Amino acid sequence: MVTSLSTYMCKEGNSCGLTGASTFFAGIPDAVMVLNSSLWCYFSAHEYIEKQCPTARMRFFCSQRNKDAVFSGTEQYLLHILQSIKQTAQPSVVLLANSCTDSTRNEDLLQIAKQADMNCPVICLDRHDLEGGFWAGYQAAAKAYFREVPLQLRTAIKPRTVNLLGCSVGYYNAVHDLQELRRMLTLAGYEVIACPGAGSTMQEITNMTQAQLNIVVHDELGRELAELLEEQYDMPYVSLLPPYGIQGSLSWLKAIDYYLSGESTGLKALQQEANYLEQKHGIMNKEQQKIWGTIWFDSIFIAAPASAAFAISQAVRGEWMNTKKIITVLQNGVPIKQSYPEYIGIVLDGYKDQQKIEQHLAGLRGGLLMASSREKAILHQKAVNDVAYQHISSPVYDEMILKHRPFMGLQGTSHMIAGLWNQYIQGQEKLGFIKKAMVT
C-alpha cells in the first residue's frame, strides 16, 4: 500500500508532476522537452507520453545527471544538450524542467538557458513548480508558457470560434476523444482555433485570442489556465463536464450555444444524429434484453480524473445502465470537502484513500470496474473474479487501440454502450457455464 504522496507519484507514472509538465509541451508539435533528471524519471515520463504521442520520442532529451552533480555539473550537462538542440533542430519553444529530486533553482535554469542563447523561448520549471503531481505539473507548465510567450492582441474576434483548454495527450483515449469534440463542434457551425497542449502548433496558439470563447474540457487541467487567459486577454470561458452519453453530448453543445448567444448553425443536424443513435441503440438493447435481460451490475467502481469520473458517473446513472451502488475515485484527489450530486455515489480520494479503495475493490465481485490497469491489478492481487471491466483512464497495460474509437460525444456513446454490453454478456455466459457445470 502507498504510504505517502511522493511515493505514490513515483510509483504511478501518470501521477508525476514532471510527466504532467512534459505532457503539455509534448502536445505542442514543434516543442522540445529537456529534463534535468535521472534516467529513471526521463524514461518514466517518456514511456507514458509516447503511447498517445509517438512523435514525442524525437523531441525528448535528458541531462542524465548523476547524484554527484552539483550546480556546475548540471550546468555542463544542460548546456551541452541545449547547444546540440540549437544546432540540429528548430524548435518553437523549449521546456527545461527539473525532477523533484533536483535542487537546481528556477533562477539557475534561467541563467543556463540565457547562456545557451537559444533561438526560441525557453520555459523553466524547478521542482517546486511540480509539487502536487501530474495535474499540478500540467497546470504549472501551461501557465508558465502563456506568461512567457505573448499571444496576439485581442483586437479582432472571429464569430463562432472557440478554443479547447485542459485537453492532454496524457489522458486515456484523448486523441480519439478530441477528434470527436472537434467533429461535433464543426457540425454545430463552430471553428476550433486552438487546443494548447493537445496538438496545436505554437502559431495556432498565438492566434487563439481571436476566439469568442474558451471551453474548458477537463476542469482539473484547464480552469486555472482559463482564468489566466481571462485576466491577461479578457477571454471569457466556460467549464463544463466532458460530453459522455447522448444527452450529455447534447447538453454540452447546447450550453456552448447558450454562451455564444445562440450562434450555432448545425445543432439541428446533431439532434437528428442523436435521434438516430437513440433509435439504433434502443433496437439493439431490446434484442439483447430478450436473451440476457436488462444490463445490471450491483456495484460500479469508477476511477478517473475528476472531470471524466463525474461525467461518466452521470452517464451511467442517466443513460447507460442500472446499478445499486457507484463508487467514484478521483485520481487527482479531492481538493476540499464538498457535497456531490447523488449520482456520483461514494467519492474517494485517489491519493489518500488507498485502503478504502482496496476494500471496495475486494467487494466488487459481480460488479463493473471502469478504471485503469492499476485498479485491475488490485483485483488480481485480491483474487476477485467475475468482474466486468472497461478502461476509462490511464495507465493501461492490457489493451491495444489502433483505430479511431472515441468514448466522448455522440460517436463515443456507441463505442461505450457496445463495450459495456459485450462485457455484461461475457459475464452472463461465464455465469451460465458455471451453473451448468454445477448441475452436471
Side-chain angles (χ1 to χ4, degrees):
M1 192 174 89
V2 179
T3 56
S4 71
L5 179 59
S6 59
T7 303
Y8 182 89
M9 290 181 201
C10 287
K11 184 180 178 66
E12 306 295 346
N14 68 315
S15 298
C16 167
L18 186 63
T19 303
S22 301
T23 295
F24 177 81
F25 282 89
I28 303 174
D30 39 3
V32 162
M33 294 136 284
V34 179
L35 307 188
N36 183 36
S37 69
S38 66
L39 284 174
W40 166 263
C41 296
Y42 166 77
F43 282 121
S44 177
H46 180 277
E47 180 182 0
Y48 180 80
I49 293 171
E50 74 169 349
K51 291 179 181 178
Q52 293 209 67
C53 186
T55 62
R57 173 190 296 268
M58 305 302 296
R59 300 183 284 121
F60 241 116
F61 299 87
C62 178
S63 66
Q64 302 184 45
R65 57 177 299 278
N66 58 51
K67 63 181 180 179
D68 299 319
V70 292
F71 172 68
S72 58
T74 298
E75 180 181 19
Q76 180 182 356
Y77 292 141
L78 291 177
L79 278 174
H80 175 74
I81 293 173
L82 291 173
Q83 290 295 337
S84 176
I85 292 171
K86 183 179 178 181
Q87 293 171 10
T88 60
Q90 294 181 329
S92 62
V93 62
V94 172
L95 168 68
L96 181 55
N98 278 341
S99 69
C100 62
T101 60
D102 190 278
S103 59
T104 307
R105 298 174 302 171
N106 203 307
E107 294 82 359
D108 297 328
L109 293 176
L110 289 169
Q111 184 61 34
I112 293 171
K114 186 176 180 180
Q115 289 182 52
D117 191 25
M118 301 295 289
N119 298 322
C120 64
V122 179
I123 310 301
C124 299
L125 297 175
D126 63 23
R127 66 178 183 176
H128 300 293
D129 296 313
L130 308 179
E131 293 175 350
F134 178 96
W135 296 272
Y138 179 98
Q139 292 178 44
K143 291 188 291 185
Y145 175 92
F146 283 97
R147 288 192 181 108
E148 294 297 325
V149 181
L151 305 182
Q152 284 186 353
L153 294 178
R154 190 170 164 80
T155 55
I157 301 174
K158 296 177 64 175
R160 296 187 295 278
T161 55
V162 298
N163 300 310
L164 298 179
L165 306 184
C167 297
S168 169
V169 296
Y171 270 20
Y172 175 73
N173 214 46
V175 174
H176 306 291
D177 287 334
L178 183 56
Q179 288 176 0
E180 172 64 1
L181 298 189
R182 282 179 171 273
R183 184 191 74 88
M184 291 197 304
L185 288 168
T186 299
L187 287 176
Y190 304 121
E191 176 189 352
V192 179
I193 292 180
C195 304
S200 292
T201 65
M202 188 174 181
Q203 185 58 54
E204 289 170 334
I205 296 172
T206 300
N207 296 334
M208 66 184 288
T209 47
Q210 299 175 12
Q212 274 187 283
L213 182 69
N214 284 334
I215 302 169
V216 178
V217 177
H218 294 291
D219 193 85
E220 67 275 4
L221 293 179
R223 177 180 285 272
E224 291 188 12
L225 175 57
E227 292 172 348
L228 177 66
L229 292 172
E230 184 179 51
E231 177 185 340
Q232 288 188 340
Y233 298 99
D234 196 28
M235 300 183 70
Y237 74 91
V238 57
S239 183
L240 305 166
L241 282 181
Y244 288 93
I246 291 176
Q247 294 307 315
S249 298
L250 290 176
S251 296
W252 188 77
L253 290 163
K254 289 176 181 177
I256 293 168
D257 186 52
Y258 170 80
Y259 283 101
L260 290 175
S261 304
E263 294 191 6
S264 172
T265 59
L267 278 182
K268 185 176 180 180
L270 286 161
Q271 182 67 62
Q272 290 174 346
E273 180 181 340
N275 293 341
Y276 167 77
L277 289 175
E278 285 186 328
Q279 293 174 1
K280 179 181 178 180
H281 296 166
I283 293 171
M284 298 301 294
N285 284 340
K286 288 180 181 179
E287 181 179 332
Q288 298 302 323
Q289 287 170 1
K290 290 177 182 178
I291 305 172
W292 305 105
T294 302
I295 186 169
W296 165 272
F297 296 97
D298 286 342
S299 298
I300 299 178
F301 188 103
I302 298 171
S307 57
F310 289 153
I312 289 174
S313 295
Q314 185 180 62
V316 164
R317 283 286 193 195
E319 298 188 45
W320 292 343
M321 70 190 82
N322 295 316
T323 185
K324 184 186 300 181
K325 180 173 67 174
I326 291 181
I327 303 99
T328 303
V329 176
L330 310 185
Q331 289 181 337
N332 56 305
V334 179
I336 56 174
K337 293 291 183 181
Q338 58 184 7
S339 59
Y340 298 101
E342 186 176 347
Y343 65 79
I344 299 297
I346 300 169
V347 178
L348 298 177
D349 188 309
Y351 288 146
K352 301 176 183 177
D353 294 331
Q354 288 294 305
Q355 186 173 2
K356 292 180 181 178
I357 288 170
E358 293 186 12
Q359 290 173 351
H360 281 289
L361 287 171
L364 196 60
R365 188 180 303 275
L368 170 65
L369 178 63
M370 305 180 74
S372 71
S373 293
R374 180 194 308 147
E375 290 76 25
K376 193 174 183 180
I378 295 174
L379 289 181
H380 288 304
Q381 292 168 6
K382 296 185 175 297
V384 180
N385 301 315
D386 303 326
V387 175
Y389 185 74
Q390 174 65 58
H391 289 296
I392 62 168
S393 58
S394 295
V396 171
Y397 305 120
D398 54 346
E399 177 185 65
M400 178 182 287
I401 305 171
L402 295 176
K403 62 181 181 180
H404 180 60
R405 187 213 58 179
F407 284 162
M408 287 186 191
L410 296 176
Q411 290 187 351
T413 301
S414 295
H415 292 291
M416 186 66 81
I417 290 177
L420 294 173
W421 260 109
N422 289 335
Q423 285 289 319
Y424 179 74
I425 291 169
Q426 290 176 20
Q428 294 299 103
E429 287 177 333
K430 290 179 181 178
L431 184 62
F433 176 80
I434 293 171
K435 290 181 177 178
K436 182 178 180 181
M438 292 175 64
V439 171
T440 57

